[in-house]
Amino acid sequence: MAGEGAYEREPVALDERITSDGSSPWPVEPGRYRLIVARACPWANRAVIVRRLLGLEDAISLGIAGPLHDERSWRFHLDPDNRDPVLGIEWLGEAYRKADPNFSGGITVPAMVEISSGKVVTNGFQQLTLDFSTQWKAYHRPGAPDLYPEHLRAEIDEVMAGIYTEVNNGVYRCGFATTQEAYEEAYDRLFTHLDLLSERLAHQRYLVGDTITEADIRLWVTLVRFDAVYHGHFKCNRQKLTEMPVLWEYARDLFQTPGFGDTIDFEQIKQHYYGVHRQINPTGVVPKGPDPRVWLEPHSRARLGGRPFGDGTPPGPVRPGEQVPPIVR
């Protein structure tokens, strides 16, 4: 039970799965679904990364909501006419209400939408990327890495459970706490776990095994946002990421790996957090820094060995229309 003033994440409301074995009413079928994301959102970011690493671009199209929204939901305000060009909707909430006219839960990204009906099938962000790895295998690119290897799943699941409660959600528990006690408890738990992860990564390049797995993706999407928004905006300010040597090198290593840094738009990340969370930042002023060029500084993680993609290969170039602005040195 959360204490007074503690933040509790609302559970997802539409948690159907898209499967290849007939175990759900939603079959894996290329071209049937559209993945709706926002560059700002860490939960959506990991779906973008997994889709790209596995080469699912031809099987699952991508719609990108803008960084700003209000009580009506995420909005496609970066698209022509403020509408998603495939679904034809202005607000993501429209697709939720097509699935359930009385829908009153959280309208979140990522969301998988059936294109023909315009209905959200699932916003189950915890299972979605695992299903990309396990249920969509027939449509993986040649050389796609195994991000959820069967012989390591128990360890990956254990590591991810701690990352989710203490880090991914931990920064939000800091930022949205409404009492000093709740904030300080969340703060202590967050940095205790970051210290444990630093110890784990001091002698191995990746979290589980010697290749990138789902666990790395889930940790990294929080780390990459840490200095830009969580350190100041969410008061996670014991240290910046750049002041945590192991995690900073680890995060930079992944940023410079195809499929990671090429999904990040720091301006949209800042615009969302500082512009939407008016209860934390009433003025809506967006900070100018930090300088993103630090992410291109060399690292020495290769000394630990490891093979980023295992027996696979890096993904190819980012698809037209899905690029983010490059960092200019």
Side-chain angles (χ1 to χ4, degrees), residues 310-321:
D311 295 327
T313 57
V318 180
R319 296 294 178 92

PDB file of all heavy atoms in Angstrom, residues 310-321:
ATOM      1  N   GLY A 310      24.899 -10.042 -30.624  1.00  0.00           N
ATOM      2  CA  GLY A 310      25.109 -11.482 -30.597  1.00  0.00           C
ATOM      3  C   GLY A 310      25.547 -12.001 -31.946  1.00  0.00           C
ATOM      4  O   GLY A 310      26.486 -11.483 -32.551  1.00  0.00           O
ATOM      5  N   ASP A 311      24.859 -13.016 -32.444  1.00  0.00           N
ATOM      6  CA  ASP A 311      25.151 -13.564 -33.768  1.00  0.00           C
ATOM      7  C   ASP A 311      24.454 -12.786 -34.872  1.00  0.00           C
ATOM      8  O   ASP A 311      24.561 -13.140 -36.046  1.00  0.00           O
ATOM      9  CB  ASP A 311      24.719 -15.037 -33.839  1.00  0.00           C
ATOM     10  CG  ASP A 311      25.521 -15.917 -32.891  1.00  0.00           C
ATOM     11  OD1 ASP A 311      26.711 -15.605 -32.674  1.00  0.00           O
ATOM     12  OD2 ASP A 311      24.958 -16.893 -32.360  1.00  0.00           O
ATOM     13  N   GLY A 312      23.730 -11.738 -34.499  1.00  0.00           N
ATOM     14  CA  GLY A 312      22.997 -10.945 -35.484  1.00  0.00           C
ATOM     15  C   GLY A 312      23.808  -9.764 -35.973  1.00  0.00           C
ATOM     16  O   GLY A 312      25.025  -9.687 -35.800  1.00  0.00           O
ATOM     17  N   THR A 313      23.110  -8.828 -36.568  1.00  0.00           N
ATOM     18  CA  THR A 313      23.740  -7.663 -37.193  1.00  0.00           C
ATOM     19  C   THR A 313      23.020  -6.387 -36.762  1.00  0.00           C
ATOM     20  O   THR A 313      21.870  -6.435 -36.314  1.00  0.00           O
ATOM     21  CB  THR A 313      23.665  -7.774 -38.724  1.00  0.00           C
ATOM     22  OG1 THR A 313      22.287  -7.902 -39.112  1.00  0.00           O
ATOM     23  CG2 THR A 313      24.450  -8.988 -39.229  1.00  0.00           C
ATOM     24  N   PRO A 314      23.664  -5.235 -36.917  1.00  0.00           N
ATOM     25  CA  PRO A 314      22.979  -3.984 -36.596  1.00  0.00           C
ATOM     26  C   PRO A 314      21.820  -3.735 -37.552  1.00  0.00           C
ATOM     27  O   PRO A 314      21.816  -4.241 -38.680  1.00  0.00           O
ATOM     28  CB  PRO A 314      24.073  -2.923 -36.794  1.00  0.00           C
ATOM     29  CG  PRO A 314      25.356  -3.662 -36.837  1.00  0.00           C
ATOM     30  CD  PRO A 314      25.054  -5.030 -37.357  1.00  0.00           C
ATOM     31  N   PRO A 315      20.841  -2.943 -37.131  1.00  0.00           N
ATOM     32  CA  PRO A 315      19.756  -2.573 -38.051  1.00  0.00           C
ATOM     33  C   PRO A 315      20.291  -1.634 -39.117  1.00  0.00           C
ATOM     34  O   PRO A 315      21.331  -1.001 -38.960  1.00  0.00           O
ATOM     35  CB  PRO A 315      18.752  -1.875 -37.142  1.00  0.00           C
ATOM     36  CG  PRO A 315      19.585  -1.304 -36.036  1.00  0.00           C
ATOM     37  CD  PRO A 315      20.690  -2.305 -35.809  1.00  0.00           C
ATOM     38  N   GLY A 316      19.554  -1.537 -40.224  1.00  0.00           N
ATOM     39  CA  GLY A 316      19.933  -0.639 -41.300  1.00  0.00           C
ATOM     40  C   GLY A 316      19.569   0.793 -40.982  1.00  0.00           C
ATOM     41  O   GLY A 316      19.216   1.133 -39.843  1.00  0.00           O
ATOM     42  N   PRO A 317      19.631   1.661 -41.980  1.00  0.00           N
ATOM     43  CA  PRO A 317      19.312   3.074 -41.760  1.00  0.00           C
ATOM     44  C   PRO A 317      17.875   3.263 -41.282  1.00  0.00           C
ATOM     45  O   PRO A 317      16.987   2.459 -41.576  1.00  0.00           O
ATOM     46  CB  PRO A 317      19.519   3.700 -43.149  1.00  0.00           C
ATOM     47  CG  PRO A 317      20.404   2.738 -43.877  1.00  0.00           C
ATOM     48  CD  PRO A 317      20.063   1.388 -43.357  1.00  0.00           C
ATOM     49  N   VAL A 318      17.667   4.335 -40.532  1.00  0.00           N
ATOM     50  CA  VAL A 318      16.313   4.673 -40.084  1.00  0.00           C
ATOM     51  C   VAL A 318      15.444   4.976 -41.297  1.00  0.00           C
ATOM     52  O   VAL A 318      15.880   5.629 -42.246  1.00  0.00           O
ATOM     53  CB  VAL A 318      16.351   5.892 -39.140  1.00  0.00           C
ATOM     54  CG1 VAL A 318      14.943   6.261 -38.672  1.00  0.00           C
ATOM     55  CG2 VAL A 318      17.251   5.599 -37.938  1.00  0.00           C
ATOM     56  N   ARG A 319      14.206   4.497 -41.260  1.00  0.00           N
ATOM     57  CA  ARG A 319      13.298   4.682 -42.384  1.00  0.00           C
ATOM     58  C   ARG A 319      12.946   6.156 -42.592  1.00  0.00           C
ATOM     59  O   ARG A 319      12.848   6.918 -41.624  1.00  0.00           O
ATOM     60  CB  ARG A 319      12.002   3.890 -42.152  1.00  0.00           C
ATOM     61  CG  ARG A 319      12.175   2.384 -42.090  1.00  0.00           C
ATOM     62  CD  ARG A 319      12.620   1.822 -43.427  1.00  0.00           C
ATOM     63  NE  ARG A 319      12.829   0.391 -43.384  1.00  0.00           N
ATOM     64  CZ  ARG A 319      11.893  -0.528 -43.677  1.00  0.00           C
ATOM     65  NH1 ARG A 319      10.670  -0.129 -44.029  1.00  0.00           N
ATOM     66  NH2 ARG A 319      12.180  -1.813 -43.631  1.00  0.00           N
ATOM     67  N   PRO A 320      12.735   6.564 -43.823  1.00  0.00           N
ATOM     68  CA  PRO A 320      12.272   7.943 -44.080  1.00  0.00           C
ATOM     69  C   PRO A 320      10.993   8.225 -43.305  1.00  0.00           C
ATOM     70  O   PRO A 320      10.101   7.387 -43.210  1.00  0.00           O
ATOM     71  CB  PRO A 320      12.014   7.945 -45.598  1.00  0.00           C
ATOM     72  CG  PRO A 320      12.925   6.885 -46.137  1.00  0.00           C
ATOM     73  CD  PRO A 320      12.941   5.801 -45.080  1.00  0.00           C
ATOM     74  N   GLY A 321      10.921   9.402 -42.753  1.00  0.00           N
ATOM     75  CA  GLY A 321       9.772   9.786 -41.950  1.00  0.00           C
ATOM     76  C   GLY A 321       9.865   9.398 -40.494  1.00  0.00           C
ATOM     77  O   GLY A 321       9.029   9.803 -39.673  1.00  0.00           O
TER      78      GLY A 321
END
